[in-house]
Structure formats: C-alpha cells, structure tokens
Amino acid sequence: MTHPGREGTPVKQSSVSFSNDATRKNLTHLGPIVAGEIRGTVFSGFDALSFINSLYPVCETVHVGALIGRTFDSQSGRWQSWPHEPTEQAVTHWLREWTNELVQVFGADNVRSRIRNSGHVPLLNSDAQRKPDVIFIDRNLSLPCPEDGGQPCTAKCDEEAKYCTVRPVSWRCVRIVGELKKNFRESGPERRAHSKMVLTISHRVREIFGTQPGRRYVHAFSLCGSLLRCFLFDRSGVVASEHFNIHSKPELTVRVFHAYLYGSPEWTGFDPTIQVADFNSHHPRTYDPTAQVRGDPFINSFADDGNPTQLYLDPTPLWLSPTIASRGSVCWRARKADSESGNWEFVVKDQWRNEERDHEGILLESLKGIEGVTQMVHYEDVMVAELKDDTVHSIRRGLDFDSQSITEIVLPSNQEVYRLVAESSNSISTPPAQPAFSPYNLRHKRSRPSTDSHRSQTPKRRRNALSEENASNSKAIAPYNRIHGRLVLHNVGRRLKHFQTREELLLALRSAIKGYCNMLNKGIMHRDVSVNNIMISTSTSGYLIDLDFAVLLCRQNASGAPHRTGTPEFMATDVLDGKSHLPRHDLESFFYVLIWIYTNYPVPGVGSPDSPDPNFRSGAHSWGLGSYDDMSRSKRALHDVREMKSYRRWFYEGWSSTPMWQLAVKWWKLFFNPQYPDIERVLMETWSKESNHSLESDVEEAMQLANKMIAALDEAVEALKAEDAGDQKHL
C-alpha cells in the first residue's frame, strides 16, 4: 500500500509567521518569502484591450469622447498638462487634476472613490512601514488631522494638499493601489512586467488582503513614465496586461481610471455574499469595510437546526491570512439574527482551496460527534451570480491563457534583489541585525537533491527551475484554479496561546491529542498540528481545528495541487527533509508546540511579564527561518540531550518548574532518545526512501505514542495540583 504522503504535495512556506520577531516584519527579510508565495503564479502579457474588456466595466462612449475632447491635445497626441518630467509628485498632481475632470464629465453622484498619495506618511496597520505612491480610497473618507485638533479632513481639503505629512491612512481603507515611476524602463518589456515591479506591488496587495476580510481580489496598476500596466491579484496569484502608452490609447486610459473611481464594491473585489443592511433602501448591499458605514455584516447560511437563517458576523475577524497565492483563510465569530449582540455561537470560515482538493467540510462531516475535533454545522461552495466562485471562471473570466503572448514572470532568488526592492518601496524600516538563518528562497535553495528526488515534480516545480531569461521565451502554463468554500462551525474557543493557567494548557493539549487519535480511528490524518490549530474550549478541554491539509489514510496518490502550505515551525524534521508524512509526525508536532509555548508565552501571574518581549529570541526562533535544510538542522539539534537541556534557559518562569520540565523531557524521550528500541527502529526506517512499514503498524505505533504522551500529561497535571496544594499550605 502506498502511504499517504509518499507522493505528497510539495510543501510551501507562508509569510504568516508565529514569531514576534521584528526581523519577520522587515521588507528585506519578508521579501523572499512573499516572492515564494507567488512564485510560479505570475502571468503577464495579456492584450491590453482584451484584459480590460474581460475585467473592467464598460464606460458610456459619449462621456469618454467628451472627456478626451476636453483634456486631450489631439495635435500633440498627448494628454493636456502631462508633466515634462514625470516625477512621482508631478504625475500624482496630474492624476488628481485629470480625475477631477473625469468626475465632472461622468457625474459626481455615483463616484465611489478618490485618488490620494501617501506622501511621506506610512500607512497604518502594516507589518512593515510601507508608503505606496498612489491609492484609491472612499470619496467620503474622513481622516483626523492632528494639526487641527483631530477634526476630520474633508475630501476637498485632501484634494488641495499635495503632500500631507500628518494624516495617516490605514491599509483597511485602500481599494486600489498604484506605483509611479519616472523611468519607463521600470515597467519592463511591453508584454512582460518587470519582476521588481511585481514584487513591489505584491507587498502592497498583501497589506490589503491582510486587513480587509472578505476581499476576493485586488486591482492594481503601474504607471512608468506614460506606460500603464494593469494588474489583478487573487488567491491564485497575479495576472498583468501588456503595458500601453496612455497618450496613444486614451480610450483605454479613461476606462481604467473610470473603473477605479466608479467601480462597485463587487467589482473592487468584495464578496457580494457578505452583506450589510442599507438604511436608505429595503435591500441589503455588499459589505465594504473600506467605506465609513455602520452595521454588522451578515451571510445567508444554515444554523444548527438545519433551517436557513442569517448569520451576523463580527467585523473583526478571529483570523485573516494576508498571503496572496494561498487559501486566504478568514474566520469570523457569528451569531443568529435573533441572538443578542455579542452572543457568538458559531465560527464562519472562508477559504480558497485548490480545485484538486476536497472541501474541508467533507472530512468534518465524517467527524461529527467526535471529541477533540472542531464540529461542523454546514459547508458549501460560495456562489456568485449563480456560478461557483473560483479564480479561473469567475474572477479571471474571459482571460485567454492560450495566447502566445502570455509569459510567466520568474521571480529572482538573489537576496540582494530584495534589499533593493525594500529600498525602492519607500519602507522606512531599519534593517535589524542579521538573524541566525536568513529567510531566502525556500523552494530553490536546497542542498540535498537526494532527499528531494522522490518528491512529486509538479509543473510548478519544473517551471521554477527555469532562469528568468529562458522564461521569457517559454510558453506559460495555465494557472491552477482555486474555489471559494465556506464552513459554519459550532465551537467558539480560544487559541492555545491564550491559556490562563498551566493546567488549562495541559488539559487542552490532552484533548487535542485524544482528538487526533479519534481522527486516526476514522482513517484521517491531520498533517498540520500547530500552536494556532489547537483551541481551548473550556478550562478542562480543547480541540483540533483546520483540516485543510488532512487526508484519508487510505489515499493512494497526491491530490495534484501544486503545493501544500505547511507550518514549518512545527513540522517534524523528517517532513522537512522530504520524507513521507506519517501519523507519528503529527505527534512530534505536539512536542514542538509545547516547547514553542514554553519559550514564547509567559505563564499568567507566575513571576513573568504580562506579554512576551518582542525582542526576545529563544532557540525556537530559527525553527521557521531559512531553507528547509536550515529549519531541519535547527530542530535536529534539539534531538541531542545537551541541546535539549540548554533550551531550559529560554523557558519563561513557570515553565521551568519540575512538573513542566519533566513533561518536556518525557515527550523528548519518546521521539529522540535512542534507548527506546522501537523508536530507534522507526527513526532508522524514515531515512529509507522505500520503507516496508504498513499503514496498520504506523497507526498502531502512533496510538501507543499518543497514550504515552497523554500519560505524561496526566502526571504533570497531578504534579501541578500537588505543587499548588503545597503552596497553599505555606500561605
């Protein structure tokens, strides 16, 4: 029998980090990881007219002609007042004046957005201090002005200000983002966007995805000299038109910026199935978090009684993924329409799965009533305009990937490139000291071909081997499709890292391990145990969530998806080395979760600070840094008894107590101590490319390990109770 994971989907790291370290938030260090997220998913060269006809709304021809007649100099063949030196400031001023003319011609009643430049002020709510050149925001957005006693800054005031240095805007308010460059060469060849420009805009778009729940896609543009290129970012990656000269194609130019100013919430990229009450109409409208509106968003779904009902969502999500080419998961707390405000009964989870994967709800359906695992109420694929919402047939409707002009943009692997991108991205972050392991490209920098040779060679992995020069002459391969799915779950718990006592943490881990065993009994392996995928439900129990990467144990082959985004900090070392993912590897992940908690989160009220020190670095700091080889070496060092002992110096006070340290040691012995002959045999087997172990023996072995882990947890809980009782006697 072929074991699940034998032909497993290649692992891909995400920029979503569990570390508080500032190095993860610096553009120089984050750049290679963001590039890794979109590598193999960037396609450029779509005919400009075809691209705009497919993705942009139609304009009134009469109005287009009127604007051109009013603002275009037919004799010179140029837009009037276009700056002789197209600097960022000069072009921003021209865009502001020209779009004002556009609004006067098309009418101000239906305009939704206005143009704004960030000037010298970084946008708020960012993981790095980024300053995009041009953004489009709600036309009525009021911004508090610190120099005027906090009074709102009106649109008229904003139009008069060229570079305001006191009024910050949040990424939560950004609808469209644009990059301006004086040098036309920075656009790249006509049909091939410059990789540096793609990376720069990708960082901007990542901020939008990371602050706006329900955002399906993002429109963006670059204007290099007078060359305009349009971009669309969605959860399958990036598509870009060929660039065109705004002077030679004035009609297309009008159509693009008309859409940026007048585009509906649906066109801008917001989910039409998430709605909000419109107090000026009897009909609800699409929820747009960039607009200054009030009211709780809601979806039409199913409650636990099986009857259709409205579920109101907490506007502040529990989890929101900023990654571009990914599942883009977002989780909200939810309640029934007739429930009291704040009485959150459910969790609604939206995500974009690869079409080769089954809906997470299918596996959860078979786990109903199983303790230690999240419980599902309802699952569905989201429908938009009576069609299944996906990236290829819904969002990218009409784009022709068979055209000979389409090419894949291969992103560089050189660390120096990302330093230059960071410098040109107007980031004012000061590069911190070099970390122990530099997070360079995680899919190219491999030094162990023997361990990668048996991995499935998907089209994406083969394309990554091309050089940037050769890629320009190679025909692009059609991108993979992602489907928008939705789950309604019962449990509303707390993440494991929000534990209140040590006992609560241990009991939650116990429940999660029991839940994992229950999954194995149902023939399902989780494959992504991490600190964020274990929840606390009560003071005495917890459960596992996020079965996105779970598989049936009887699965014969990989799904065919181009990659699997794992959580490297908690992956077993064998998995990082490219070995088959076995049930015991998930249990090894529980060990890393325990050490991660010990070194990153203080015990409340036990002589530790109320919040972790953001500048503190433990040995676990490097678990998610560098190449897979680096991450594996960092964790394998922990297999040594002396290294394990040294980790204790990084534990927060309260975790160094005898019961907690003994628990860590007992779990360590189960996985890494060669004195255990059965474990030694298994560890030796994992180094063999084709071991002869059976599925039944793997499951049985995992069950035995789990029982020993649970026994160690029970002993630690009893020891803590005895310790607490002894403390009470001394009071």
Side-chain angles (χ1 to χ4, degrees):
M1 175 180 293
T2 302
H3 200 286
R6 173 75 58 201
E7 297 296 333
T9 310
V11 178
K12 175 184 176 184
Q13 190 186 20
S14 167
S15 61
V16 179
S17 172
F18 294 89
S19 174
N20 293 320
D21 187 359
T23 61
R24 305 290 186 92
K25 299 183 178 182
N26 179 265
L27 283 178
T28 305
H29 298 274
L30 189 61
I33 300 179
V34 175
E37 293 172 357
I38 62 173
R39 180 168 285 110
T41 71
V42 184
F43 299 90
S44 178
F46 293 90
D47 174 75
L49 179 59
S50 174
F51 190 90
I52 292 170
N53 280 340
S54 298
L55 303 180
Y56 285 68
V58 177
C59 292
E60 289 288 342
T61 305
V62 174
H63 290 155
V64 174
L67 178 64
I68 292 176
R70 184 171 176 172
T71 60
F72 191 80
D73 186 344
S74 58
Q75 290 185 348
S76 64
R78 297 169 63 85
W79 291 103
Q80 298 173 8
S81 303
W82 177 257
H84 178 69
E85 290 288 332
T87 62
E88 176 188 333
Q89 184 172 358
V91 173
T92 300
H93 177 76
W94 180 85
L95 280 173
R96 190 192 308 275
E97 297 300 319
W98 181 74
T99 53
N100 286 340
E101 294 284 345
L102 189 152
V103 170
Q104 291 181 28
V105 171
F106 281 86
D109 291 341
N110 296 319
V111 66
R112 293 189 65 249
S113 303
R114 59 187 169 103
I115 194 170
R116 188 187 192 277
N117 63 284
S118 64
H120 306 292
V121 184
L123 269 63
L124 303 176
N125 305 112
S126 172
D127 63 2
Q129 296 186 345
R130 298 185 174 96
K131 301 177 292 182
D133 296 336
V134 172
I135 56 177
F136 284 79
I137 59 176
D138 182 23
R139 65 173 297 195
N140 296 316
L141 182 65
S142 296
L143 305 170
C145 182
E147 292 189 354
D148 192 21
Q151 294 299 312
C153 184
T154 64
K156 181 179 179 181
C157 172
D158 186 71
E159 290 169 3
E160 294 172 354
K162 293 182 178 179
Y163 279 85
C164 180
T165 60
V166 295
R167 291 169 299 140
V169 177
S170 170
W171 281 105
R172 296 170 182 167
C173 304
V174 177
R175 291 173 174 170
I176 312 291
V177 64
E179 283 296 305
L180 308 178
K181 299 297 179 184
K182 177 181 178 181
N183 189 342
F184 70 90
R185 292 184 178 86
E186 296 195 51
S187 177
E190 178 183 7
R191 294 178 175 177
R192 189 165 175 274
H194 198 292
S195 59
K196 182 178 175 182
M197 179 61 71
V198 172
L199 289 169
T200 298
I201 299 179
S202 295
H203 281 277
R204 319 301 200 207
V205 171
R206 186 181 180 277
E207 299 294 346
I208 296 175
F209 275 136
T211 54
Q212 298 178 21
R215 192 73 186 252
R216 297 165 62 223
Y217 55 85
V218 176
H219 287 284
F221 70 93
S222 65
L223 185 56
C224 301
S226 59
L227 299 179
L228 177 65
R229 192 188 304 274
C230 300
F231 294 83
L232 178 74
F233 290 75
D234 60 23
R235 300 303 186 174
S236 281
V238 189
V239 288
S241 72
E242 63 183 8
H243 68 217
F244 61 91
N245 196 306
I246 62 173
H247 302 303
S248 60
K249 294 185 178 180
E251 293 84 2
L252 286 186
T253 305
V254 174
R255 190 169 170 186
V256 167
F257 285 95
H258 174 272
Y260 295 161
L261 293 168
Y262 287 84
S264 66
E266 296 81 11
W267 180 85
T268 305
F270 296 105
D271 188 345
T273 68
I274 304 176
Q275 300 177 312
V276 67
D278 188 342
F279 298 104
N280 298 319
S281 170
H282 295 293
H283 303 286
R285 52 192 169 83
T286 298
Y287 175 62
D288 178 358
T290 65
Q292 288 186 309
V293 295
R294 296 294 179 265
D296 289 338
F298 65 86
I299 61 172
N300 292 310
S301 187
F302 290 82
D304 55 344
D305 58 5
N307 296 318
T309 185
Q310 288 182 345
L311 290 181
Y312 280 81
L313 309 177
D314 183 355
T316 303
L318 293 169
W319 172 260
L320 177 57
S321 172
T323 51
I324 298 170
S326 71
R327 293 171 296 154
S329 301
V330 55
C331 297
W332 296 273
R333 295 185 297 179
R335 61 177 176 83
K336 295 181 183 178
D338 56 359
S339 298
E340 294 183 6
S341 179
N343 183 23
W344 307 112
E345 310 166 66
F346 308 100
V347 171
V348 173
K349 176 182 178 180
D350 276 20
Q351 63 176 356
W352 297 79
R353 74 182 186 279
N354 192 282
E355 67 175 351
E356 283 86 3
R357 298 190 188 279
D358 292 329
H359 198 297
E360 181 183 357
I362 294 176
L363 290 180
L364 287 173
E365 185 77 46
S366 65
L367 294 173
K368 281 190 173 181
I370 301 299
E371 294 184 3
V373 182
T374 187
Q375 294 298 294
M376 184 191 67
V377 178
H378 172 72
Y379 77 93
E380 64 184 14
D381 285 330
V382 175
M383 305 293 288
V384 173
E386 299 183 351
L387 295 175
K388 183 180 293 187
D389 192 22
D390 65 10
T391 53
V392 169
H393 306 102
S394 177
I395 294 176
R396 300 179 177 186
R397 56 197 178 277
L399 291 185
D400 181 15
F401 279 87
D402 294 328
S403 171
Q404 294 295 325
S405 66
I406 309 305
T407 183
E408 179 191 338
I409 307 302
V410 178
L411 303 178
S413 302
N414 188 349
Q415 179 77 12
E416 179 68 12
V417 172
Y418 300 100
R419 184 187 66 80
L420 296 175
V421 169
E423 291 177 355
S424 67
S425 295
N426 291 328
S427 169
I428 62 174
S429 299
T430 301
Q434 185 76 3
F437 298 96
S438 300
Y440 53 87
N441 182 276
L442 300 179
R443 292 175 62 83
H444 286 217
K445 298 289 188 176
R446 304 222 182 200
S447 59
R448 191 186 298 113
S450 61
T451 61
D452 281 341
S453 60
H454 68 288
R455 285 188 163 200
S456 56
Q457 294 296 308
T458 65
K460 180 174 178 181
R461 289 177 62 82
R462 288 194 295 270
R463 290 199 306 271
N464 287 348
L466 295 173
S467 67
E468 190 166 356
E469 292 76 18
N470 292 336
S472 62
N473 298 320
S474 63
K475 189 178 185 303
I477 301 175
Y480 59 92
N481 187 25
R482 285 189 179 271
I483 301 172
H484 185 186
R486 179 167 290 159
L487 275 171
V488 180
L489 305 168
H490 267 300
N491 313 66
V492 181
R494 288 177 284 124
R495 294 199 180 275
L496 185 68
K497 60 187 179 182
H498 296 147
F499 65 93
Q500 296 176 348
T501 66
R502 291 177 294 181
E503 183 177 351
E504 182 180 66
L505 174 87
L506 299 186
L507 293 175
L509 285 172
R510 187 187 194 281
S511 296
I513 295 174
K514 288 288 291 184
Y516 182 73
C517 292
N518 292 335
M519 288 180 63
L520 290 180
N521 285 328
K522 286 288 186 175
I524 299 172
M525 183 167 57
H526 191 282
R527 299 202 308 171
D528 192 21
V529 173
S530 72
V531 72
N532 272 352
N533 287 342
I534 303 173
M535 303 292 287
I536 299 172
S537 54
T538 67
S539 60
T540 59
S541 64
Y543 57 94
L544 282 170
I545 64 170
D546 200 351
L547 273 66
D548 296 327
F549 300 137
V551 295
L552 294 174
L553 288 167
C554 60
R555 188 181 78 162
Q556 296 293 319
N557 299 305
S559 66
H563 58 254
R564 173 170 60 87
T565 306
T567 311
E569 286 91 338
F570 309 103
M571 284 182 182
T573 51
D574 285 344
V575 176
L576 288 171
D577 288 335
K579 305 299 186 296
S580 301
H581 197 128
L582 304 178
R584 68 171 175 274
H585 292 142
D586 283 339
L587 295 173
E588 184 179 333
S589 294
F590 278 102
F591 170 76
Y592 296 127
V593 168
L594 184 73
I595 301 301
W596 186 270
I597 290 288
Y598 282 9
T599 58
N600 283 278
Y601 299 98
V603 179
V606 186
S608 298
D610 294 333
S611 60
D613 182 357
N615 296 315
F616 173 72
R617 295 187 189 179
S618 70
H621 164 79
S622 58
W623 287 0
L625 292 178
S627 68
Y628 290 134
D629 287 342
D630 292 332
M631 290 183 277
S632 177
R633 281 194 296 269
S634 176
K635 285 183 178 177
R636 285 197 180 277
L638 185 59
H639 298 185
D640 181 80
V641 62
R642 290 167 296 184
E643 183 71 12
M644 174 61 184
K645 186 175 181 180
S646 72
Y647 260 69
R648 193 174 185 179
R649 71 180 185 272
W650 288 311
F651 291 0
Y652 275 98
E653 186 177 354
W655 300 123
S656 294
S657 66
T658 299
M660 304 309 297
W661 171 242
Q662 286 181 342
L663 171 63
V665 170
K666 289 176 182 177
W667 278 15
W668 178 87
K669 285 183 178 181
L670 289 176
F671 294 101
F672 313 127
N673 190 344
Q675 293 179 4
Y676 285 68
D678 54 332
I679 302 302
E680 183 178 20
R681 173 185 58 79
V682 171
L683 289 175
M684 291 301 294
E685 278 187 358
T686 60
W687 283 105
S688 172
K689 188 179 296 185
E690 296 293 341
S691 58
N692 296 319
H693 55 256
S694 66
L695 173 61
E696 293 76 12
S697 64
D698 287 334
V699 172
E700 180 181 357
E701 175 193 63
M703 291 295 191
Q704 293 175 358
L705 276 172
N707 288 333
K708 293 176 182 178
M709 294 173 73
I710 290 173
L713 282 168
D714 291 340
E715 292 172 3
V717 169
E718 292 303 316
L720 283 177
K721 290 180 179 179
E723 186 180 85
D724 292 341
D727 292 340
Q728 290 294 325
K729 290 180 180 180
H730 290 89
L731 293 179

